[in-house]
Amino acid sequence: MRRLVLIAVPYLWLLTLFLIPFLIVLKISLSDTALSIPPYTPTLDLGAGWTGVKEFFAGLDFENFWFLTTDELYWKAYLSSLQIAFLSTIMTLIVGYPIAYGMAQAPDEWRPTLMLLVILPFWTSFLIRVYAWMGILSREGLLNQFLLWTGVIDAPVKILNTDTAVYIGIVYTYLPFMVLPIYATLEKLDESLLEAAEDLGCSRASAFWLVTVPLSKSGIIAGCFLVFIPALGEFVIPSLLGGSQTLMIGKVLWEEFFNNRDWPIASAVAVVLLLILIVPIILFQRNEQKQREAEG
Amino acid sequence: MRRLTWFNATSLTLGFAFLYIPMLILIIFSFNASKLVMVWAGFSTRWYGELLQNEAFLSAAWTTLKVAVASSTIATVLGTMAAYVLIRGGRFWGRTLFSGMIYAPLVMPEVITGLSLLLLFIGIGLDRGVLTIVLAHTTFSMCFVSVVVSSRLVSFDRSLEEAALDLGSTPFEAFRLVTLPIIAPAVISGWLLAFTLSLDDLVIASFTSGPSATTLPIKIFSSIRLGVSPEINALSTILILIVTIGVLTASLVSKRSSLKMQADERAAVRN
């Protein structure tokens, strides 16, 4: 009896507040936009009995999905989100790997402090960390002041409200997600393998590429997915740092819902975004599984 | 032998400079006397004074705190239950669905979680306000709690629970007297994680809040959309300070308790 309660409470909670809401999104994505409250049709009329149910299902179609393929705004937004998420993941890896490597090589007594320094930004508000860059990147901002002072440029350049600012924002805010898993694999790396490689005539650089990098592969994969997956649906960064021409699907969904009040299209956008995410999510899960098996 | 080469020292210095300089600039400019945020005009605490006079921010902060305490507490209870069920519950009908529902919210884009919850609340006619934000935050943060707690449950020695059961305690007593004290650090860090996630959340709160309830991130977002403002710098500085103190305290406490545990173990070996 107690066991039943223990299972049922979290189970029912997630069914009601996670699964059912998602089914509602799915259903509304198959409905038509209407000028009514709620702004879509059909609505399920249980009072009409079986005919009501039948009419309800007859009213559903894939029209919204068809619309997404015909209007170029949407597929451009999906492609540009994929591109921004992919490129910023690579950049985060390039910035993050040396940090993780340096941490793993640092003297033992430094490591807890270094770890703390990586975790601290992670606990600090995401919004504030994005906001911090707004002042730096603006036309009168410190970056422009600095560049003018060094003489690299002679007139302020526009950085805020461009795609460049979005890349900087993603790399900055997601950096801890890249550093931590890579550090975790590098920290466990057996130093004697590197010594063996060097004894066998490997240079330090090739030992790094042939031993260290392959052995930290699972950390690299985990870090990349931890950046790529949330970056793809990102809303805050493109809307604060990006410009009007920055197309990201999270922003499109938000605007479709709040500004255009088009619920069926917003829902269809959400369903397609989720379909795109399934592949990276499965690959990520598989990597985690492999890592657990390797450890256990 | 680990040694710090110049390459590693440089990459660490540059890396941490990149992570911390933007926040330092934010803090420095919160003490700027000028209203033009990026032009230094002398030291002043004027913006902190104005912030404390700003009713809208204070009431949003109060709402945020209420939501965070309520949602993280419920999420900790539900998340711990879910972790216990997943790790110790054995087989039951729909277990795969259950574990899927625990992991899916972790990777679900916030815009989708927010949209779907809003459509549910409208569908059942629940007025949007503090209650709906608490429900929404509880749902996604309970999954984070459950992941943190289940990693602790997996690693601990199950025979301790079995011993308690053999010695005649009920399963509930065994949980309260044996399991809970052992997983307590994970439960506490789960609560802290849920609390921070709730304090931080903009997207899901924007979807699920109504005109009657505005949280601090919603308020911050709507005012920084118009540009940088010195009051927000002051507010950010206060928030950064609170987080820093919290993280440092937590790490000192856990360091002390692990030192104490080592000392106890050594003493036990000696005896």
Side-chain angles (χ1 to χ4, degrees), chain A residues 248-274:
Chain A
M248 280 194 85
I249 205 65
K251 207 175 130 202
V252 171
L253 193 157
W254 179 287
E255 280 159 7
E256 214 55 75
F257 189 84
F258 284 109
N259 304 353
N260 303 345
R261 301 199 50 81
D262 192 336
W263 296 12
I265 290 292
S267 304
V269 168
V271 171
V272 174
L273 173 58
L274 213 57

PDB file of all heavy atoms in Angstrom, chain A residues 248-274:
ATOM      1  N   MET A 248      16.103  32.674 -34.468  1.00  0.00           N
ATOM      2  CA  MET A 248      16.270  31.430 -33.722  1.00  0.00           C
ATOM      3  C   MET A 248      14.881  30.946 -33.366  1.00  0.00           C
ATOM      4  O   MET A 248      13.986  31.724 -33.079  1.00  0.00           O
ATOM      5  CB  MET A 248      17.146  31.620 -32.490  1.00  0.00           C
ATOM      6  CG  MET A 248      18.625  31.635 -32.847  1.00  0.00           C
ATOM      7  SD  MET A 248      19.696  31.468 -31.424  1.00  0.00           S
ATOM      8  CE  MET A 248      19.790  29.698 -31.215  1.00  0.00           C
ATOM      9  N   ILE A 249      14.734  29.613 -33.370  1.00  0.00           N
ATOM     10  CA  ILE A 249      13.397  29.055 -33.321  1.00  0.00           C
ATOM     11  C   ILE A 249      12.704  29.311 -31.973  1.00  0.00           C
ATOM     12  O   ILE A 249      11.490  29.482 -31.931  1.00  0.00           O
ATOM     13  CB  ILE A 249      13.449  27.552 -33.695  1.00  0.00           C
ATOM     14  CG1 ILE A 249      12.110  27.123 -34.246  1.00  0.00           C
ATOM     15  CG2 ILE A 249      13.895  26.681 -32.563  1.00  0.00           C
ATOM     16  CD1 ILE A 249      11.744  27.796 -35.553  1.00  0.00           C
ATOM     17  N   GLY A 250      13.502  29.387 -30.896  1.00  0.00           N
ATOM     18  CA  GLY A 250      12.903  29.675 -29.591  1.00  0.00           C
ATOM     19  C   GLY A 250      12.238  31.044 -29.599  1.00  0.00           C
ATOM     20  O   GLY A 250      11.142  31.243 -29.062  1.00  0.00           O
ATOM     21  N   LYS A 251      12.897  32.003 -30.258  1.00  0.00           N
ATOM     22  CA  LYS A 251      12.373  33.363 -30.339  1.00  0.00           C
ATOM     23  C   LYS A 251      11.126  33.385 -31.230  1.00  0.00           C
ATOM     24  O   LYS A 251      10.146  34.066 -30.925  1.00  0.00           O
ATOM     25  CB  LYS A 251      13.475  34.250 -30.926  1.00  0.00           C
ATOM     26  CG  LYS A 251      13.397  35.690 -30.513  1.00  0.00           C
ATOM     27  CD  LYS A 251      14.614  36.429 -31.053  1.00  0.00           C
ATOM     28  CE  LYS A 251      14.205  37.677 -31.777  1.00  0.00           C
ATOM     29  NZ  LYS A 251      15.206  38.137 -32.731  1.00  0.00           N
ATOM     30  N   VAL A 252      11.174  32.638 -32.351  1.00  0.00           N
ATOM     31  CA  VAL A 252      10.021  32.581 -33.261  1.00  0.00           C
ATOM     32  C   VAL A 252       8.804  32.026 -32.534  1.00  0.00           C
ATOM     33  O   VAL A 252       7.702  32.576 -32.614  1.00  0.00           O
ATOM     34  CB  VAL A 252      10.355  31.720 -34.504  1.00  0.00           C
ATOM     35  CG1 VAL A 252       9.104  31.467 -35.331  1.00  0.00           C
ATOM     36  CG2 VAL A 252      11.408  32.401 -35.350  1.00  0.00           C
ATOM     37  N   LEU A 253       9.026  30.947 -31.766  1.00  0.00           N
ATOM     38  CA  LEU A 253       7.915  30.330 -31.029  1.00  0.00           C
ATOM     39  C   LEU A 253       7.297  31.341 -30.055  1.00  0.00           C
ATOM     40  O   LEU A 253       6.087  31.513 -29.984  1.00  0.00           O
ATOM     41  CB  LEU A 253       8.434  29.110 -30.267  1.00  0.00           C
ATOM     42  CG  LEU A 253       7.405  28.154 -29.672  1.00  0.00           C
ATOM     43  CD1 LEU A 253       8.049  26.780 -29.490  1.00  0.00           C
ATOM     44  CD2 LEU A 253       6.861  28.586 -28.335  1.00  0.00           C
ATOM     45  N   TRP A 254       8.171  32.038 -29.326  1.00  0.00           N
ATOM     46  CA  TRP A 254       7.722  33.037 -28.344  1.00  0.00           C
ATOM     47  C   TRP A 254       6.880  34.107 -29.026  1.00  0.00           C
ATOM     48  O   TRP A 254       5.794  34.458 -28.566  1.00  0.00           O
ATOM     49  CB  TRP A 254       8.972  33.645 -27.688  1.00  0.00           C
ATOM     50  CG  TRP A 254       8.704  34.709 -26.683  1.00  0.00           C
ATOM     51  CD1 TRP A 254       8.296  35.983 -26.921  1.00  0.00           C
ATOM     52  CD2 TRP A 254       8.839  34.585 -25.264  1.00  0.00           C
ATOM     53  NE1 TRP A 254       8.183  36.674 -25.751  1.00  0.00           N
ATOM     54  CE2 TRP A 254       8.498  35.845 -24.725  1.00  0.00           C
ATOM     55  CE3 TRP A 254       9.218  33.566 -24.401  1.00  0.00           C
ATOM     56  CZ2 TRP A 254       8.532  36.096 -23.356  1.00  0.00           C
ATOM     57  CZ3 TRP A 254       9.249  33.823 -23.039  1.00  0.00           C
ATOM     58  CH2 TRP A 254       8.904  35.060 -22.535  1.00  0.00           C
ATOM     59  N   GLU A 255       7.394  34.630 -30.150  1.00  0.00           N
ATOM     60  CA  GLU A 255       6.685  35.713 -30.830  1.00  0.00           C
ATOM     61  C   GLU A 255       5.364  35.240 -31.435  1.00  0.00           C
ATOM     62  O   GLU A 255       4.369  35.943 -31.395  1.00  0.00           O
ATOM     63  CB  GLU A 255       7.578  36.334 -31.907  1.00  0.00           C
ATOM     64  CG  GLU A 255       8.558  37.310 -31.279  1.00  0.00           C
ATOM     65  CD  GLU A 255       9.772  37.596 -32.118  1.00  0.00           C
ATOM     66  OE1 GLU A 255       9.810  37.138 -33.284  1.00  0.00           O
ATOM     67  OE2 GLU A 255      10.681  38.260 -31.614  1.00  0.00           O
ATOM     68  N   GLU A 256       5.403  34.005 -31.980  1.00  0.00           N
ATOM     69  CA  GLU A 256       4.190  33.431 -32.549  1.00  0.00           C
ATOM     70  C   GLU A 256       3.103  33.343 -31.480  1.00  0.00           C
ATOM     71  O   GLU A 256       1.931  33.585 -31.729  1.00  0.00           O
ATOM     72  CB  GLU A 256       4.530  32.033 -33.075  1.00  0.00           C
ATOM     73  CG  GLU A 256       3.803  31.580 -34.291  1.00  0.00           C
ATOM     74  CD  GLU A 256       3.921  32.524 -35.461  1.00  0.00           C
ATOM     75  OE1 GLU A 256       4.987  32.576 -36.109  1.00  0.00           O
ATOM     76  OE2 GLU A 256       2.927  33.204 -35.719  1.00  0.00           O
ATOM     77  N   PHE A 257       3.524  32.992 -30.274  1.00  0.00           N
ATOM     78  CA  PHE A 257       2.543  32.800 -29.207  1.00  0.00           C
ATOM     79  C   PHE A 257       2.112  34.124 -28.589  1.00  0.00           C
ATOM     80  O   PHE A 257       0.931  34.409 -28.484  1.00  0.00           O
ATOM     81  CB  PHE A 257       3.103  31.878 -28.122  1.00  0.00           C
ATOM     82  CG  PHE A 257       2.062  31.484 -27.137  1.00  0.00           C
ATOM     83  CD1 PHE A 257       1.225  30.412 -27.406  1.00  0.00           C
ATOM     84  CD2 PHE A 257       1.867  32.206 -25.977  1.00  0.00           C
ATOM     85  CE1 PHE A 257       0.231  30.068 -26.523  1.00  0.00           C
ATOM     86  CE2 PHE A 257       0.870  31.865 -25.094  1.00  0.00           C
ATOM     87  CZ  PHE A 257       0.052  30.792 -25.361  1.00  0.00           C
ATOM     88  N   PHE A 258       3.087  34.951 -28.174  1.00  0.00           N
ATOM     89  CA  PHE A 258       2.746  36.155 -27.411  1.00  0.00           C
ATOM     90  C   PHE A 258       2.350  37.326 -28.310  1.00  0.00           C
ATOM     91  O   PHE A 258       1.480  38.105 -27.941  1.00  0.00           O
ATOM     92  CB  PHE A 258       3.913  36.580 -26.513  1.00  0.00           C
ATOM     93  CG  PHE A 258       4.043  35.711 -25.292  1.00  0.00           C
ATOM     94  CD1 PHE A 258       5.094  34.823 -25.175  1.00  0.00           C
ATOM     95  CD2 PHE A 258       3.103  35.770 -24.279  1.00  0.00           C
ATOM     96  CE1 PHE A 258       5.213  34.016 -24.056  1.00  0.00           C
ATOM     97  CE2 PHE A 258       3.212  34.964 -23.156  1.00  0.00           C
ATOM     98  CZ  PHE A 258       4.268  34.082 -23.049  1.00  0.00           C
ATOM     99  N   ASN A 259       3.024  37.477 -29.459  1.00  0.00           N
ATOM    100  CA  ASN A 259       2.720  38.644 -30.290  1.00  0.00           C
ATOM    101  C   ASN A 259       1.613  38.364 -31.307  1.00  0.00           C
ATOM    102  O   ASN A 259       0.709  39.151 -31.474  1.00  0.00           O
ATOM    103  CB  ASN A 259       3.975  39.141 -31.014  1.00  0.00           C
ATOM    104  CG  ASN A 259       5.100  39.454 -30.025  1.00  0.00           C
ATOM    105  OD1 ASN A 259       4.885  39.419 -28.801  1.00  0.00           O
ATOM    106  ND2 ASN A 259       6.269  39.748 -30.539  1.00  0.00           N
ATOM    107  N   ASN A 260       1.704  37.205 -31.991  1.00  0.00           N
ATOM    108  CA  ASN A 260       0.687  36.917 -33.007  1.00  0.00           C
ATOM    109  C   ASN A 260      -0.499  36.140 -32.450  1.00  0.00           C
ATOM    110  O   ASN A 260      -1.492  35.971 -33.118  1.00  0.00           O
ATOM    111  CB  ASN A 260       1.293  36.106 -34.161  1.00  0.00           C
ATOM    112  CG  ASN A 260       2.470  36.810 -34.781  1.00  0.00           C
ATOM    113  OD1 ASN A 260       2.654  38.003 -34.548  1.00  0.00           O
ATOM    114  ND2 ASN A 260       3.257  36.092 -35.548  1.00  0.00           N
ATOM    115  N   ARG A 261      -0.363  35.628 -31.246  1.00  0.00           N
ATOM    116  CA  ARG A 261      -1.405  34.822 -30.594  1.00  0.00           C
ATOM    117  C   ARG A 261      -1.868  33.673 -31.492  1.00  0.00           C
ATOM    118  O   ARG A 261      -3.039  33.312 -31.501  1.00  0.00           O
ATOM    119  CB  ARG A 261      -2.590  35.687 -30.160  1.00  0.00           C
ATOM    120  CG  ARG A 261      -2.170  36.781 -29.194  1.00  0.00           C
ATOM    121  CD  ARG A 261      -3.329  37.349 -28.394  1.00  0.00           C
ATOM    122  NE  ARG A 261      -4.154  36.333 -27.755  1.00  0.00           N
ATOM    123  CZ  ARG A 261      -3.847  35.738 -26.616  1.00  0.00           C
ATOM    124  NH1 ARG A 261      -2.725  36.003 -26.004  1.00  0.00           N
ATOM    125  NH2 ARG A 261      -4.669  34.841 -26.100  1.00  0.00           N
ATOM    126  N   ASP A 262      -0.945  33.116 -32.262  1.00  0.00           N
ATOM    127  CA  ASP A 262      -1.304  31.993 -33.117  1.00  0.00           C
ATOM    128  C   ASP A 262      -0.891  30.692 -32.428  1.00  0.00           C
ATOM    129  O   ASP A 262       0.219  30.211 -32.580  1.00  0.00           O
ATOM    130  CB  ASP A 262      -0.599  32.135 -34.479  1.00  0.00           C
ATOM    131  CG  ASP A 262      -1.166  31.146 -35.500  1.00  0.00           C
ATOM    132  OD1 ASP A 262      -1.716  30.119 -35.072  1.00  0.00           O
ATOM    133  OD2 ASP A 262      -1.064  31.418 -36.705  1.00  0.00           O
ATOM    134  N   TRP A 263      -1.795  30.134 -31.620  1.00  0.00           N
ATOM    135  CA  TRP A 263      -1.449  28.960 -30.809  1.00  0.00           C
ATOM    136  C   TRP A 263      -1.161  27.722 -31.650  1.00  0.00           C
ATOM    137  O   TRP A 263      -0.201  27.015 -31.383  1.00  0.00           O
ATOM    138  CB  TRP A 263      -2.550  28.664 -29.808  1.00  0.00           C
ATOM    139  CG  TRP A 263      -2.752  29.742 -28.801  1.00  0.00           C
ATOM    140  CD1 TRP A 263      -2.224  31.010 -28.828  1.00  0.00           C
ATOM    141  CD2 TRP A 263      -3.519  29.656 -27.610  1.00  0.00           C
ATOM    142  NE1 TRP A 263      -2.623  31.706 -27.741  1.00  0.00           N
ATOM    143  CE2 TRP A 263      -3.426  30.912 -26.968  1.00  0.00           C
ATOM    144  CE3 TRP A 263      -4.285  28.646 -27.028  1.00  0.00           C
ATOM    145  CZ2 TRP A 263      -4.065  31.165 -25.761  1.00  0.00           C
ATOM    146  CZ3 TRP A 263      -4.918  28.901 -25.822  1.00  0.00           C
ATOM    147  CH2 TRP A 263      -4.816  30.147 -25.200  1.00  0.00           C
ATOM    148  N   PRO A 264      -1.989  27.430 -32.667  1.00  0.00           N
ATOM    149  CA  PRO A 264      -1.699  26.219 -33.446  1.00  0.00           C
ATOM    150  C   PRO A 264      -0.322  26.260 -34.110  1.00  0.00           C
ATOM    151  O   PRO A 264       0.400  25.265 -34.081  1.00  0.00           O
ATOM    152  CB  PRO A 264      -2.819  26.198 -34.491  1.00  0.00           C
ATOM    153  CG  PRO A 264      -3.947  26.887 -33.814  1.00  0.00           C
ATOM    154  CD  PRO A 264      -3.301  27.982 -33.032  1.00  0.00           C
ATOM    155  N   ILE A 265       0.072  27.420 -34.675  1.00  0.00           N
ATOM    156  CA  ILE A 265       1.390  27.491 -35.308  1.00  0.00           C
ATOM    157  C   ILE A 265       2.494  27.372 -34.256  1.00  0.00           C
ATOM    158  O   ILE A 265       3.463  26.628 -34.440  1.00  0.00           O
ATOM    159  CB  ILE A 265       1.542  28.801 -36.117  1.00  0.00           C
ATOM    160  CG1 ILE A 265       0.644  28.770 -37.357  1.00  0.00           C
ATOM    161  CG2 ILE A 265       2.983  29.016 -36.544  1.00  0.00           C
ATOM    162  CD1 ILE A 265       1.058  27.762 -38.409  1.00  0.00           C
ATOM    163  N   ALA A 266       2.333  28.073 -33.123  1.00  0.00           N
ATOM    164  CA  ALA A 266       3.336  27.973 -32.060  1.00  0.00           C
ATOM    165  C   ALA A 266       3.503  26.515 -31.631  1.00  0.00           C
ATOM    166  O   ALA A 266       4.624  26.034 -31.425  1.00  0.00           O
ATOM    167  CB  ALA A 266       2.937  28.846 -30.871  1.00  0.00           C
ATOM    168  N   SER A 267       2.393  25.790 -31.509  1.00  0.00           N
ATOM    169  CA  SER A 267       2.464  24.388 -31.096  1.00  0.00           C
ATOM    170  C   SER A 267       3.157  23.543 -32.152  1.00  0.00           C
ATOM    171  O   SER A 267       3.961  22.661 -31.821  1.00  0.00           O
ATOM    172  CB  SER A 267       1.068  23.830 -30.840  1.00  0.00           C
ATOM    173  OG  SER A 267       0.397  24.610 -29.895  1.00  0.00           O
ATOM    174  N   ALA A 268       2.851  23.812 -33.429  1.00  0.00           N
ATOM    175  CA  ALA A 268       3.498  23.046 -34.498  1.00  0.00           C
ATOM    176  C   ALA A 268       5.005  23.315 -34.500  1.00  0.00           C
ATOM    177  O   ALA A 268       5.814  22.392 -34.656  1.00  0.00           O
ATOM    178  CB  ALA A 268       2.889  23.412 -35.848  1.00  0.00           C
ATOM    179  N   VAL A 269       5.393  24.584 -34.267  1.00  0.00           N
ATOM    180  CA  VAL A 269       6.817  24.929 -34.183  1.00  0.00           C
ATOM    181  C   VAL A 269       7.479  24.126 -33.061  1.00  0.00           C
ATOM    182  O   VAL A 269       8.567  23.577 -33.224  1.00  0.00           O
ATOM    183  CB  VAL A 269       6.987  26.453 -33.943  1.00  0.00           C
ATOM    184  CG1 VAL A 269       8.414  26.786 -33.560  1.00  0.00           C
ATOM    185  CG2 VAL A 269       6.603  27.238 -35.185  1.00  0.00           C
ATOM    186  N   ALA A 270       6.782  24.025 -31.922  1.00  0.00           N
ATOM    187  CA  ALA A 270       7.321  23.280 -30.777  1.00  0.00           C
ATOM    188  C   ALA A 270       7.491  21.808 -31.113  1.00  0.00           C
ATOM    189  O   ALA A 270       8.512  21.192 -30.790  1.00  0.00           O
ATOM    190  CB  ALA A 270       6.404  23.447 -29.574  1.00  0.00           C
ATOM    191  N   VAL A 271       6.492  21.209 -31.773  1.00  0.00           N
ATOM    192  CA  VAL A 271       6.561  19.782 -32.097  1.00  0.00           C
ATOM    193  C   VAL A 271       7.738  19.498 -33.025  1.00  0.00           C
ATOM    194  O   VAL A 271       8.501  18.547 -32.805  1.00  0.00           O
ATOM    195  CB  VAL A 271       5.228  19.298 -32.725  1.00  0.00           C
ATOM    196  CG1 VAL A 271       5.364  17.878 -33.256  1.00  0.00           C
ATOM    197  CG2 VAL A 271       4.100  19.372 -31.701  1.00  0.00           C
ATOM    198  N   VAL A 272       7.924  20.357 -34.039  1.00  0.00           N
ATOM    199  CA  VAL A 272       9.036  20.139 -34.979  1.00  0.00           C
ATOM    200  C   VAL A 272      10.379  20.307 -34.264  1.00  0.00           C
ATOM    201  O   VAL A 272      11.300  19.512 -34.457  1.00  0.00           O
ATOM    202  CB  VAL A 272       8.924  21.087 -36.192  1.00  0.00           C
ATOM    203  CG1 VAL A 272      10.144  20.958 -37.090  1.00  0.00           C
ATOM    204  CG2 VAL A 272       7.663  20.788 -36.978  1.00  0.00           C
ATOM    205  N   LEU A 273      10.485  21.314 -33.388  1.00  0.00           N
ATOM    206  CA  LEU A 273      11.724  21.519 -32.625  1.00  0.00           C
ATOM    207  C   LEU A 273      12.071  20.258 -31.829  1.00  0.00           C
ATOM    208  O   LEU A 273      13.219  19.815 -31.789  1.00  0.00           O
ATOM    209  CB  LEU A 273      11.568  22.722 -31.688  1.00  0.00           C
ATOM    210  CG  LEU A 273      12.701  22.979 -30.691  1.00  0.00           C
ATOM    211  CD1 LEU A 273      14.028  23.173 -31.404  1.00  0.00           C
ATOM    212  CD2 LEU A 273      12.406  24.204 -29.838  1.00  0.00           C
ATOM    213  N   LEU A 274      11.037  19.677 -31.237  1.00  0.00           N
ATOM    214  CA  LEU A 274      11.261  18.468 -30.436  1.00  0.00           C
ATOM    215  C   LEU A 274      11.707  17.301 -31.309  1.00  0.00           C
ATOM    216  O   LEU A 274      12.601  16.536 -30.927  1.00  0.00           O
ATOM    217  CB  LEU A 274       9.975  18.116 -29.708  1.00  0.00           C
ATOM    218  CG  LEU A 274      10.181  17.480 -28.359  1.00  0.00           C
ATOM    219  CD1 LEU A 274      11.014  18.374 -27.481  1.00  0.00           C
ATOM    220  CD2 LEU A 274       8.855  17.207 -27.721  1.00  0.00           C
TER     221      LEU A 274
END
